[in-house]
Amino acid sequence: MDHHASRKPLRGIKRLSLGALSGLLAGYAAIAVAECVSAAVRPESGPVIAVGGAAIDRTPPAVKDWAIRHFGTNDKLILQLGILAVLTVLALVLGMLATRWRRIGSLGVLAFGVVGALAATSRPDSTSISDALPSVAGAVVGAGLLYWLTGRLGQGRRATAEQPAVITAGDSKPAAAGGQHMGTSRTPVAADPAESGWDRRGFVLAATAAAAASTGIGLAGRALNGSQGQNAVASRKDVVIPAPSSAAAPVPKGAALRIKDVSPFMTPNGDFYRVDTALVVPKVDATSWKLRIHGKGVTRERTLSFDDLLKMPLIERNITLTCVSNEVGGPYVGNARWIGVRLDDLLKECGVKPPSQGGPADQLVARSVDGMTIGSPVEDVLDGRDAMLALGMNGRPLPFEHGFPVRMLVPGLYGYVSACKWIQDIELTTFDAYDSYWVKRDWAQKAPIKTESRIDTPKPFGRPKAGTVMVAGVAWAQHRGIDKVEVRVDDGPWEAARLATEDTRDTWRQWSYPWDAGKGGHTLTVRATDRTGQTQTEKRTSTIPDGASGWHSVVVTVD
Ligand SMILES: Nc1nc2c(c(=O)[nH]1)N[C@H]1C(S)=C(S)[C@@H](COP(=O)(O)O)O[C@H]1N2
Ligand SMILES: [Mo]
């Protein structure tokens, strides 16, 4: 570059590239500032989380189901990476636009701030307009930075005193008729001495400073966020769960078949499936946690603390939880030993009666700190099954991912109608009066878990050796119990599998079938029969609206 270059405005590809870089830096600064402010306001109010959450709220059930199926628990990471990729492209484009129309570039950044603010305030967990702050603050800083940086590139518009304006298509009408067009004002812009030339040094300095400052601000935000979670982490470490007054019977010896590759009878916490809409796992401080019970037919409203719950009689139960989004053969099912307070006792103390005894409420709506609402039938909760407010999972306080400090569980019902994590409010109402989160999104109001069975081994497209091949897996029909599992090879007859000893009717049951396998390709199919005598239907249905049905099959090649 010759020494005159710094006196002239920068043009061409180089101008566009530096514009794109300015856009990126502005976007980076905007996100960093927004994330930092969100740490002070509320972690969930940051634009990426808010837009992601709003996207989740608005995703059609079929797409959400597809995402869960293809990305599993990574669906949220993929969503956030997707949002960042889109933001990156937009930042590049706005930066390039700003090389010609500085104001438009900055207005574009501000527009994205508005989108973030709207998303943050529209989330179900948003209770305050302050949730708009992070997006607004980030956008203002980003817009300002873009304006400033692109100013260092010199006046890009060619409508200067020396050079006649380039006539664009939109500008080709006579001035009198055309009036003012966005960004193509006919008025020659007075050359601003500070901005008319390419200020290389100024740009490099400004860009470097902006990048460094954004990184610093972003890291500060992270640290702030981390320290806020610390109270919750400390409160979890301090939890000592008293011995239950009603312990679970030991798991019968024969409940676990000890066959390689069959899901363990008890699912370790770290392996337990996780399904929720939370992009940030809520970190709730147990010492300040409260649960309010109120609504129709509640004659004695109550607000309980975590300590209140610890002082009540505790029950310990093994319960198998299943997600309605679990495909036939899918992984969203797990069995754990839970400790908690009986929900029926608690509700009866509050004066709640089941509809069958004249109670006015037929729906119990549980609400979480992240705004999730989950509606369960009051009749089921009060029918004597072990519905509980769980505090412990496999001998530990609930992990944060699984609802610390308290979650609800109702054996026999899919998680989305029973298992509210991070619960903070229970309202008695009716199904007519209120649709919970998933019901608003086309899932069924009521959803007992369907009888299902799964082949865990051999794996699909496995290549077992000819001879005796152990076919084995799990079957579940919570609160009814599994009475029979059968296996079919190709189009052969149904053969009874051996059933492991039942733990309780609320838990899954392992099964196995020694198969005398001949060489070649074979299809193995499984079906279960529950204690009501119902055999699992062959009819394949999708997970929407109330859970998948059909038989699980595995194709293998015997060598
Ligand atoms: N607050 C909250 N609770 C929730 C959900 C959620 O998205 N938010 N998802 C529900 C669903 S669909 C299921 S299947 C279970 C899953 O519980 P887990 O993640 O502990 O396995 O939690 C339920 N409780
Ligand atoms: Mo679920």
Side-chain angles (χ1 to χ4, degrees), residues 50-363:
V51 169
I56 292 176
D57 292 345
R58 286 165 184 77
T59 305
V63 178
K64 180 143 38 196
D65 225 40
W66 176 87
I68 290 179
R69 213 162 39 243
H70 289 264
F71 307 131
T73 312
N74 286 331
D75 57 344
K76 297 189 188 79
L77 182 64
I78 305 267
L79 174 66
Q80 293 191 66
L81 290 177
I83 291 171
L84 286 177
V86 170
L87 282 178
T88 305
V89 171
L90 289 169
L92 291 170
V93 169
L94 284 176
M96 290 193 269
L97 273 178
T99 61
R100 182 160 178 134
W101 301 291
R102 265 169 91 196
R103 291 211 190 115
I104 299 282
S106 293
L107 281 176
V109 175
L110 289 176
F112 281 100
V114 171
V115 170
L118 287 177
T121 50
S122 75
R123 296 293 340 271
D125 54 339
S126 176
T127 51
S128 157
I129 190 80
S130 66
D131 285 341
L133 262 179
S135 296
V136 170
V140 167
V141 170
L145 182 60
L146 183 59
Y147 195 76
W148 189 44
L149 280 175
T150 45
R152 306 302 103 198
L153 302 178
Q155 202 45 260
R157 211 177 306 188
R158 278 164 253 189
T160 56
E162 299 84 30
Q163 288 169 289
V166 170
I167 306 295
T168 65
D171 249 6
S172 58
K173 290 174 239 164
Q180 195 94 351
H181 289 268
M182 229 212 266
T184 56
S185 151
R186 304 314 243 33
T187 329
V189 178
D192 170 353
E195 297 184 357
S196 59
W198 154 227
D199 173 10
R200 186 168 188 235
R201 209 177 119 81
F203 182 86
V204 172
L205 277 177
T208 312
S214 304
T215 303
I217 290 170
L219 289 176
R222 283 243 160 140
L224 192 57
N225 235 332
S227 70
Q228 281 171 348
Q230 274 165 21
N231 290 340
V233 172
S235 77
R236 183 170 179 272
K237 285 214 178 83
D238 288 345
V239 171
V240 180
I241 301 178
S245 53
S246 165
V251 173
K253 275 210 180 57
L257 293 174
R258 293 165 197 276
I259 294 171
K260 193 171 164 291
D261 291 334
V262 171
S263 315
F265 182 72
M266 301 302 297
T267 314
N269 288 356
D271 296 343
F272 207 96
Y273 82 91
R274 176 186 161 203
V275 171
D276 56 57
T277 58
L279 285 170
V280 184
V281 174
K283 290 269 169 73
V284 181
D285 183 343
T287 59
S288 55
W289 175 87
K290 291 267 182 317
L291 170 70
R292 179 170 170 232
I293 303 175
H294 61 112
K296 272 200 174 68
V298 176
T299 51
R300 283 176 300 278
E301 203 177 302
R302 291 192 73 171
T303 300
L304 299 155
S305 69
F306 192 69
D307 275 341
D308 292 336
L309 290 187
L310 290 179
K311 285 183 202 129
M312 295 178 185
L314 299 178
I315 58 169
E316 176 190 55
R317 297 290 183 268
N318 299 336
I319 297 169
T320 300
L321 184 61
T322 309
C323 182
V324 71
S325 292
N326 194 48
E327 293 289 333
V328 171
Y332 301 130
V333 50
N335 183 43
R337 175 163 287 202
W338 311 88
I339 287 190
V341 169
R342 287 199 75 89
L343 195 50
D344 53 2
D345 288 346
L346 195 54
L347 291 173
K348 281 172 194 161
E349 279 174 33
C350 297
V352 178
K353 289 199 187 94
S356 59
Q357 286 170 31
D362 62 1
Q363 182 178 214

Side-chain angles (χ1 to χ4, degrees), residues 76 272-278 282 321-325 332 334 338 367-374 393 401-403 407-409 414-423 437-438:
K76 297 189 188 79
F272 207 96
Y273 82 91
R274 176 186 161 203
V275 171
D276 56 57
T277 58
L321 184 61
T322 309
C323 182
V324 71
S325 292
Y332 301 130
W338 311 88
R367 211 173 252 103
S368 72
V369 300
D370 66 332
M372 173 55 61
T373 52
I374 287 186
M393 180 176 186
E401 292 80 8
H402 296 291
R407 77 176 304 167
M408 213 174 105
L409 288 173
Y414 284 118
Y416 87 104
V417 286
S418 69
C420 187
K421 306 192 272 191
W422 315 292
I423 191 172
Y437 183 92
W438 297 105

Side-chain angles (χ1 to χ4, degrees), residues 467-480:
T468 303
V469 171
M470 209 34 112
V471 184
V474 285
W476 60 88
Q478 289 93 317
H479 213 58
R480 298 183 297 279

